[in-house]
């Protein structure tokens, strides 16, 4: 049924008096959404075996899987702000993601899988800008803490994915596992449609109004850390399998390592409220640098500890970057501001994965390729230190 012009305001008021409902729904749906962020690494060994893939091929697939998340996050976030269709875009994202997994499951060739994986990236572009807008609208004065709680759901999805998928692949096969993965996405779409209510639109805003220098600096700072963290996560299962680990054991190990995100995200959000975003970003970037160095200089259990530390630093910044972006973007363009963060950082991480894959093939050792990410971690420290301690959006008219 089509909504009348008055309805968005009415349902927005209804949502505003039930912030816990908004938070609980989005924590649960976040678990489903972020399950798919770390689901691909668990498929890589099976795909490499079936299609005879190199690290470069796997990097290209990872690039395609996340490409549209980076390209379209700002666009979808901006359109949702302007048209007041945040819930609709959330629902669309999960439905199109399910289509992507079903298509890949039926694909007869690797390159068709690469093309169909773009649908998964398109689905991924829909979630975080809109979810953040709902949470900030419900909790304007506790955004760091509530985005950290929202991160619990995402962390649960992150850490559950590797073990769940490698075990499912061992029992079913990778194709049937991809079919099964479409089911939770459809459930998430139905839940969002049923339980969320729209928040007001801002018809006068345009996407370019969300772009400003502090926001872009924040996106590059977060993106530099994310390039390191997500590259390690992306290749970790295949790296362990190449070191003669059993695939199921490698998936379980990655799951245990990603469990740190359950602690990292709420701690990151709490630290944002108490210490400020720049402080948390600088500490996380420095921690990433130290852990990459530990990984490069050690092996065995210590290198797994380093991988856990890198994951902790990366995931701690998700609520921090979203909370900072919600302050740096115009108040009516929270979705677009978060879209800029995930767009820029998404493109940066998408490009990093094939680059690391190519370097892995050149050196003959993916561990060496990952260790070469150390300079990038140092760049993240420099970028984070240049951020303003408590920057907020200031309308252009006020600055004159």
């Amino acid at each position: 049924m089509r909504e009348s012009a008055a309805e968005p305001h009415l349902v927005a008021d209804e949502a505003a008096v039930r912030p816990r409902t908004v938070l609980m729904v989005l924590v649960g749906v976040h678990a489903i959404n972020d399950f798919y962020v770390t689901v691909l690494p668990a498929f890589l060994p099976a795909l490499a075996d079936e299609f005879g893939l190199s690290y470069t091929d796997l990097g290209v697939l990872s690039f395609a899987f996340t490409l549209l998340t980076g390209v379209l996050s700002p666009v979808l976030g901006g359109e949702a702000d302007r048209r007041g269709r945040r819930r609709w875009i959330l629902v669309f994202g999960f439905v199109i993601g399910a289509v992507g997994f079903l298509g890949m499951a039926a694909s007869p060739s690797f390159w068709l899988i690469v093309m169909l994986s773009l649908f998964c990236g398109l689905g991924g572009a829909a979630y975080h800008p809109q979810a953040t807008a709902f949470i900030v609208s419900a909790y304007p004065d506790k955004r760091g803490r509530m985005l950290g709680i929202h991160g619990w759901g995402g962390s649960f999805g992150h850490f559950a994915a590797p073990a769940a998928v490698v075990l499912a692949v061992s029992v079913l096969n990778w194709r049937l596992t991809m079919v099964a993965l479409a089911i939770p996405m459809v459930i998430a779409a139905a839940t969002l449609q049923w339980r969320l209510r729209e928040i007001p639109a801002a018809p006068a805003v345009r996407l370019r109004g969300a772009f400003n220098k502090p926001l872009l600096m924040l996106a590059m700072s977060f993106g530099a850390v994310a390039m390191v963290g997500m590259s390690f996560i992306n290749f970790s299962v295949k790296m362990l399998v190449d070191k003669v680990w059993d695939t199921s054991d490698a998936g379980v190990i990655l799951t245990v390592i990603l469990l740190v995100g359950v602690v990292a995200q709420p701690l990151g959000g709490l630290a944002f409220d108490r210490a400020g975003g720049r402080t948390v970003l600088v500490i996380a970037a420095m921690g990433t640098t130290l852990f990459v160095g530990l990984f490069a200089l050690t092996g065995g259990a210590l290198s797994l500890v380093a991988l856990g530390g890198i994951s902790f630093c990366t995931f701690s910044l998700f609520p921090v970057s979203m909370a900072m972006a919600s302050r740096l973007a115009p108040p009516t363009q929270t979705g677009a501001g978060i879209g800029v963060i995930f767009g820029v950082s998404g493109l940066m991480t998408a490009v990093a994965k094939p680059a690391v894959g190519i370097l892995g093939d050149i050196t003959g050792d993916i561990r060496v390729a990952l260790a070469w990410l150390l300079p990038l971690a140092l760049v993240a420290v420099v970028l984070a230190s240049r951020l303003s301690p408590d920057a907020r959006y200031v309308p252009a008219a006020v600055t004159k």
Side-chain angles (χ1 to χ4, degrees):
M1 182 181 295
R2 186 176 180 180
E3 294 174 340
S4 68
E7 280 180 305
H9 173 73
L10 293 175
V11 296
D13 286 345
E14 181 182 349
V17 299
R18 296 190 303 171
R20 286 190 179 181
T21 298
V22 174
L23 184 63
M24 290 175 63
V25 168
L26 290 175
V27 166
V29 172
H30 196 195
I32 296 174
N33 182 82
D34 282 20
F35 183 94
Y36 296 90
V37 174
T38 50
V39 80
L40 185 61
F43 281 110
L44 295 185
L47 293 173
D49 288 343
E50 178 154 340
F51 296 105
L53 305 177
S54 66
Y55 277 115
T56 301
D57 295 328
L58 298 177
V60 169
L61 174 58
S62 302
F63 170 80
F65 194 79
T66 55
L67 175 62
L68 291 185
T69 299
V71 172
L72 293 180
S73 284
V75 176
L76 293 178
E79 283 300 298
D81 288 336
R82 188 163 70 90
R83 299 181 182 275
R85 292 293 183 266
R86 297 174 183 87
R87 181 181 61 179
W88 185 89
I89 290 178
L90 281 170
V91 171
F92 165 79
F94 281 104
V95 171
I96 200 68
V99 170
F101 276 101
L102 291 174
M104 288 192 292
S107 177
S109 71
F110 168 70
W111 289 106
L112 184 55
I113 289 176
V114 171
M115 296 300 296
L116 289 167
S117 72
L118 293 169
F119 284 92
C120 299
L122 174 57
Y127 183 76
H128 287 98
Q130 281 57 255
T132 305
F134 276 111
I135 291 173
V136 169
S137 177
Y139 295 96
D141 299 323
K142 298 180 181 178
R143 63 188 67 194
R145 179 184 175 190
M146 295 307 167
L147 286 170
I149 292 173
H150 174 244
W152 272 339
S155 297
F156 179 83
H158 280 303
F159 93 80
V165 171
V166 295
L167 292 174
V169 169
S170 67
V171 173
L172 303 172
N173 58 50
W174 69 266
R175 294 184 186 275
L176 288 177
T177 300
M178 284 191 173
V179 171
L181 288 179
I183 298 172
M185 302 187 90
V186 174
I187 293 173
T191 301
L192 290 165
Q193 179 64 28
W194 175 46
R195 298 295 294 170
L196 282 190
R197 296 294 182 269
E198 191 55 78
I199 54 180
V205 303
R206 294 294 182 270
L207 177 59
R208 64 178 178 272
F211 284 86
N212 56 62
K213 184 177 178 180
L215 190 60
L216 291 173
M217 280 291 294
L218 169 63
M220 289 188 291
S221 301
F222 171 60
V225 176
M227 288 174 77
V228 177
M230 299 313 290
S231 293
F232 270 87
I233 291 169
N234 187 68
F235 288 106
S236 57
V237 174
K238 185 67 169 65
M239 176 184 69
L240 293 173
V241 170
D242 286 351
K243 298 297 181 183
V244 201
W245 283 63
D246 179 78
T247 303
S248 298
D249 291 341
V252 171
I253 286 294
L254 181 57
T255 284
V256 172
I257 289 170
L258 293 180
L259 183 61
V260 301
V262 176
V263 178
Q265 292 215 41
L267 281 181
L270 184 62
F272 168 83
D273 286 337
R274 294 189 176 183
R278 187 183 71 169
T279 298
V280 182
L281 269 163
V282 170
I283 292 173
M286 292 175 65
T288 300
T289 303
L290 293 174
F291 284 119
V292 174
L294 178 64
F295 176 85
L297 295 173
T298 63
L302 280 178
S303 66
L304 295 179
V305 170
L307 180 55
I310 293 166
S311 300
F312 182 93
C313 293
T314 301
F315 289 124
S316 71
L317 293 184
F318 277 88
V320 173
S321 62
M322 289 187 286
M324 291 180 73
S326 70
R327 288 181 174 176
L328 291 171
T332 55
Q333 292 186 271
T334 299
I338 303 302
V340 171
I341 296 298
F342 278 87
V344 173
S345 64
L347 285 174
M348 291 170 71
T349 56
V351 170
K353 292 169 185 176
V356 171
I358 292 169
L359 186 57
D361 285 331
I362 292 172
T363 61
D365 189 344
I366 195 65
R367 279 185 55 90
V368 174
L370 290 169
W372 273 101
L373 290 169
L374 181 61
L376 186 59
L378 291 170
V379 169
V381 176
V382 175
L383 290 173
S385 66
R386 294 175 62 86
L387 294 172
S388 175
D390 191 29
R392 295 174 183 266
Y393 172 74
V394 179
V398 175
T399 64
K400 294 182 179 179

